[in-house]
Amino acid sequence: MEIWRGKAYPLGATYDGSGTNFALFSEVAERIELCLFDDDGAGGVRETRIALPEVDGFVWHGFIPGVEPGQRYGYRVHGPYDPGAGHRCNPNKLLLDPYAKAIDGAFTWGQELFSYNFGDPDSRNDEDSAGSMPKSVVINPYFDWGTDRPPKHEYADTVIYEAHVKGLTQTHPDIPEQIRGTYTAVAHPVIIEHLQSLGVNALELMPIHHFANDSTLVDKGLSNYWGYNTIGFLAPDHKYGSSATPGGQVQEFKAMVRALHDANIEVILDVVYNHTAEGNHLGPTLSMRGIDNAAYYRLVDDDKRYYMDYTGTGNSLNVGHPHSLQLIMDSLRYWVTEMHVDGFRFDLAATLAREFYDVDRLAAFFELVQQDPIVSQVKLIAEPWDVGPGGYQVGNFPPQWTEWNGKYRDTVRDFWRGEPATLDEFAYRLTGSADLYEHTARRPVASINFVTAHDGFTLADLVSYNEKHNEANGEDNKDGESHNRSWNCGVEGPTDDAEILALRGRQQRNFLTTLLLSQGVPMISHGDELGRTQRGNNNGYCQDNDLTWIDWENADADLLDFTRSVSALRAAHPVFRRRRFFSGKPVGRRGEAGLPDIAWFAPDGSEMTGEDWGSGFAKSVAVFLNGLGIPDRDARGQRVTDDSFFLCFNAHYEPIEFALPPTDFGSEWVPVISTAANPTTEPIAAGAHVSVEARAVLVLRSDQE
């Protein structure tokens, strides 16, 4: 087969209409063979090996005329095999291209995928792995995007919905069975209409980068459902594709993005750049380990056979190496420019800040993102922790970044389950967490607020279980978080008790109301608005079944309607979507002195004092939000004004009488949201008293004259 010298850039396999250029980085390789796989005409597979003829700057490359999209390929890297020195090259192991834009097939777990013999990690195993490996695929880069444009929603106007491609769509009765669980299903009109009805304008998809199902899970009859086990940073996983054509998932993914953009919904990807599926020193050799182990992975300095593990998965990507950094940045740019995604949520993002040992806010990765003209312009969301020393970094990411606010989750959970001494921190979380973000010149939108996410209890389970029930995972219920800040409302798990069921419903409404009316960016976990349960399992990472899929047939219609109403209130009123923190200072029309932009009241109508905030037993508070005190301007420079609101939060186990503010704050208050079962709807005069049910929220509006 003819091969030309080709080019060293771009890395990966690049089809240009006449053939394909192949380029692979390896600093330690002595020779690299490109392996092409085709049907042999007799039901088998023919492998053609071609040595890449050129190397420039440690990039091995070659161009093969006539190689077209759909071609399956892999690499064999000849070089040193010396684990103690950090080198694990073995040409008997077929390797996936780290820059593969599509991957076809599945891993068949066995001895041949490992470079050592089971039971003897210091030995070398030379069994050929090609028959047990998926293959990289040359893709067709051309796609008709039509008039596609990114929605570019401002953070303050964004409502995020975290979802799993399969879990969201697998059981929906209006989606054809043959496409359920796929990218095409996510783009189905019934899913788009559901998201729009919730006011969702950003869909955050759990990992869709190609990932491996761990051999330990496969042996148990389980799978890596969540997908936090990446092995292809540029490849949408074919498990969520409906096409049988190798590489067809790329076209499907693009069509999904186009459809969501047409509906004014952004696409955010949950990405895992902190580790790969190759695991620790006892893991398989699938890709980067066999290409250039020391360049791609963080190794223990004084014994390079072992891996630094800040992720709890066995390895950590070496973000201190320029080619590892290049892989991450090339991947991010590819997903923005070629796949048209609108942002990223970075799993265990603190790991990316570890250039050496400690977390460094100004690590090279963040500097690269800051100056990148493409990546810096999309939504960047950090999961601001990892499992290493000093890994909890909520509030410490650079100004350009937003963060999953774990303190918001914990505080709101504690407040509504009646924990003492939570009132003052609850106020911080409700108003955008200025204590975490203001000192770095960030604004309330730096806080991605959430009560539940994929990791942990669903909202229905949060109010139904005190303890995790993860027996189905096969780990004797030892996996998953044990401190969930949950409360079962009196009975563990399912019950027929009408009072407990009513309380659980009210608690779910309390959480959703708090979430959607807090300053910052709300994130709803998929199915929470429908009452989705995992039957007490708080770690569904390995459960690809009806335990984790949304049960559309038994959705809680009343809860869905309630969620829609609160989201609509948020969308209609900018006082809940402020772009700047509250000051507490008087504001008014045309600059004259007026009411403060925010004021806090005890239930008796007196303004909160330091003693009130410090009271450990207090579980009720009211807050006035001044619609004339919004320091924002619209796109035309006009000052933003709104109605004013009075929110009463009662986490006490008994009803509480709240005194409404005097006439200076509004002459009449109209109830607009109540989490109680039989809310009042009649207007209430200033200074009057209103009863708020035990463990409930009442939201009142005063029209501005």
Side-chain angles (χ1 to χ4, degrees), residues 354-368:
R354 293 182 184 272
E355 282 194 20
F356 298 102
Y357 180 76
D358 295 325
V359 176
D360 179 358
R361 256 184 89 236
L362 300 178
F365 171 69
F366 298 106
E367 294 173 353
L368 285 174

Side-chain angles (χ1 to χ4, degrees), residues 678-700:
N678 298 299
T680 179
T681 58
E682 295 298 316
I684 307 169
H689 287 73
V690 61
S691 179
V692 178
E693 188 175 338
R695 297 190 173 93
V697 183
L698 177 63
V699 180
L700 305 108

Side-chain angles (χ1 to χ4, degrees), residues 79-355:
Y81 185 82
D82 184 359
H87 304 310
R88 294 178 180 267
C89 298
N90 185 339
N92 299 293
K93 309 304 172 183
L94 185 76
L95 305 173
L96 291 171
D97 183 355
Y99 278 78
K101 298 180 178 67
I103 296 172
D104 181 55
F107 297 98
T108 302
W109 293 104
Q111 172 68 80
E112 64 276 11
L113 293 182
F114 296 77
S115 282
Y116 66 92
N117 296 296
F118 293 159
D120 186 6
D122 292 325
S123 64
R124 171 171 168 151
N125 175 273
D126 285 335
E127 293 181 52
D128 194 284
S129 67
S132 300
M133 284 286 293
K135 309 299 186 291
S136 306
V137 180
V138 177
I139 69 155
N140 181 355
Y142 306 110
F143 180 77
D144 182 7
W145 283 103
T147 59
D148 183 70
R149 297 178 63 186
K152 290 188 177 296
H153 297 300
E154 292 190 40
Y155 272 117
D157 301 325
T158 300
V159 176
I160 298 173
Y161 190 85
E162 185 201 31
H164 187 283
V165 169
K166 190 172 185 180
L168 176 63
T169 64
Q170 183 64 24
T171 70
H172 201 295
D174 295 330
I175 297 177
E177 287 190 27
Q178 65 270 23
I179 65 168
R180 292 180 188 175
T182 68
Y183 306 119
T184 303
V186 173
H188 194 279
V190 295
I191 297 298
I192 289 177
E193 289 165 9
H194 178 74
L195 297 176
Q196 290 176 320
S197 77
L198 289 169
V200 167
N201 53 18
L203 178 62
E204 181 179 307
L205 293 176
M206 290 175 64
I208 57 84
H209 287 177
H210 195 94
F211 63 91
N213 279 321
D214 317 49
S215 60
T216 54
L217 293 177
V218 172
D219 290 344
K220 295 178 182 179
L222 302 171
S223 65
N224 193 317
Y225 171 66
W226 283 355
Y228 291 93
N229 204 29
T230 303
I231 198 63
F233 292 133
L234 286 83
D237 200 297
H238 75 90
K239 291 186 283 293
Y240 304 134
S242 60
S243 171
T245 303
Q249 65 267 31
V250 176
Q251 303 291 314
E252 286 190 58
F253 183 90
K254 291 178 177 179
M256 177 196 72
V257 173
R258 184 178 59 192
L260 289 166
H261 282 182
D262 284 346
N264 205 30
I265 298 172
E266 295 179 331
V267 178
I268 298 172
L269 299 186
D270 190 340
V271 290
V272 187
Y273 293 114
N274 52 73
H275 74 279
T276 77
E278 292 186 292
N280 63 15
H281 63 290
L282 299 178
T285 298
L286 310 175
S287 180
M288 300 178 217
R289 169 171 284 146
I291 295 170
D292 195 329
N293 186 57
Y296 280 116
Y297 294 114
R298 290 284 303 274
L299 306 179
V300 175
D301 288 337
D302 54 1
D303 193 345
K304 295 185 182 297
R305 77 183 61 237
Y306 299 113
Y307 295 77
M308 298 295 293
D309 182 12
Y310 298 117
T311 64
T313 60
N315 65 52
S316 301
L317 214 64
N318 184 9
V319 292
H321 192 282
H323 281 279
S324 290
L325 276 175
Q326 182 185 0
L327 172 61
I328 296 173
M329 295 305 299
D330 285 348
S331 170
L332 291 169
R333 280 189 292 269
Y334 173 78
W335 286 101
V336 176
T337 60
E338 298 298 321
M339 307 296 267
H340 286 207
V341 305
D342 304 282
F344 305 94
R345 178 264 187 188
F346 292 80
D347 177 65
L348 301 180
T351 299
L352 298 174
R354 293 182 184 272
E355 282 194 20

Side-chain angles (χ1 to χ4, degrees), residues 451-515:
V451 176
T452 61
H454 67 273
D455 189 3
F457 282 142
T458 67
L459 186 61
D461 289 354
L462 186 67
V463 301
S464 303
Y465 295 90
N466 284 349
E467 308 295 335
K468 63 185 180 182
H469 296 270
N470 298 355
E471 290 80 7
N473 296 355
E475 299 181 41
D476 298 322
N477 205 34
K478 295 177 181 178
D479 62 303
E481 176 61 60
S482 296
H483 182 46
N484 293 283
R485 292 181 161 89
S486 62
W487 178 45
N488 64 18
C489 297
V491 172
E492 187 76 355
T495 180
D496 294 326
D497 188 303
E499 287 190 18
I500 290 177
L501 290 174
L503 175 56
R504 288 177 177 177
R506 195 160 65 250
Q507 286 286 74
Q508 289 178 78
R509 295 191 292 273
N510 290 337
F511 281 122
L512 287 166
T513 302
T514 304
L515 174 67

Side-chain angles (χ1 to χ4, degrees), residues 423-693:
L423 205 58
D424 56 347
E425 190 168 358
F426 177 76
Y428 271 120
R429 305 299 156 246
L430 187 73
T431 55
S433 297
D435 58 325
L436 299 178
Y437 303 114
E438 194 170 24
H439 70 284
T440 55
R442 286 191 280 178
R443 296 182 176 180
V445 295
S447 179
I448 305 297
N449 299 327
F450 68 106
V451 176
T452 61
H454 67 273
D455 189 3
F457 282 142
T458 67
L459 186 61
D461 289 354
L462 186 67
V463 301
S464 303
Y465 295 90
N466 284 349
E467 308 295 335
K468 63 185 180 182
H469 296 270
N470 298 355
E471 290 80 7
N473 296 355
E475 299 181 41
D476 298 322
N477 205 34
K478 295 177 181 178
D479 62 303
E481 176 61 60
S482 296
H483 182 46
N484 293 283
R485 292 181 161 89
S486 62
W487 178 45
N488 64 18
C489 297
V491 172
E492 187 76 355
T495 180
D496 294 326
D497 188 303
E499 287 190 18
I500 290 177
L501 290 174
L503 175 56
R504 288 177 177 177
R506 195 160 65 250
Q507 286 286 74
Q508 289 178 78
R509 295 191 292 273
N510 290 337
F511 281 122
L512 287 166
T513 302
T514 304
L515 174 67
L516 288 166
L517 299 186
S518 294
Q519 305 297 323
V521 181
M523 184 186 78
I524 301 169
S525 180
H526 73 297
D528 276 354
E529 77 283 6
L530 302 167
R532 183 173 78 90
T533 177
Q534 292 182 171
R535 301 192 286 277
N537 191 316
N538 74 350
N539 191 29
Y541 78 104
C542 59
Q543 299 294 330
D544 185 4
N545 50 52
D546 60 3
L547 185 72
T548 52
W549 304 336
I550 290 180
D551 182 1
W552 289 96
E553 293 281 7
N554 295 297
D556 186 334
D558 292 337
L559 184 61
L560 174 59
D561 287 342
F562 179 84
T563 307
R564 288 168 172 165
S565 67
V566 183
S567 182
L569 182 70
R570 176 188 180 86
H573 292 283
V575 74
F576 299 114
R577 298 178 281 107
R578 290 168 53 105
R579 288 159 171 78
R580 291 173 175 79
F581 290 109
F582 292 99
S583 68
K585 297 178 181 178
V587 294
R589 297 181 189 272
R590 293 179 296 279
E592 72 266 21
L595 297 169
D597 59 0
I598 188 170
W600 297 91
F601 295 89
D604 64 4
S606 62
E607 292 202 37
M608 292 286 286
T609 65
E611 184 177 350
D612 293 330
W613 288 118
S615 173
F617 59 84
K619 296 180 176 64
S620 303
V621 69
V623 59
F624 166 76
L625 304 180
N626 188 349
L628 295 179
I630 304 173
D632 300 331
R633 296 186 180 274
D634 62 22
R636 295 178 296 175
Q638 300 299 309
R639 182 180 171 192
V640 174
T641 61
D642 194 6
D643 299 333
S644 292
F645 287 83
F646 193 72
L647 288 72
C648 304
F649 296 91
N650 179 22
H652 192 50
Y653 59 82
E654 292 181 335
I656 294 287
E657 289 279 327
F658 280 83
L660 299 188
T663 55
D664 290 351
F665 289 81
S667 59
E668 189 176 73
W669 294 92
V670 179
V672 290
I673 294 290
S674 173
T675 62
N678 298 299
T680 179
T681 58
E682 295 298 316
I684 307 169
H689 287 73
V690 61
S691 179
V692 178
E693 188 175 338

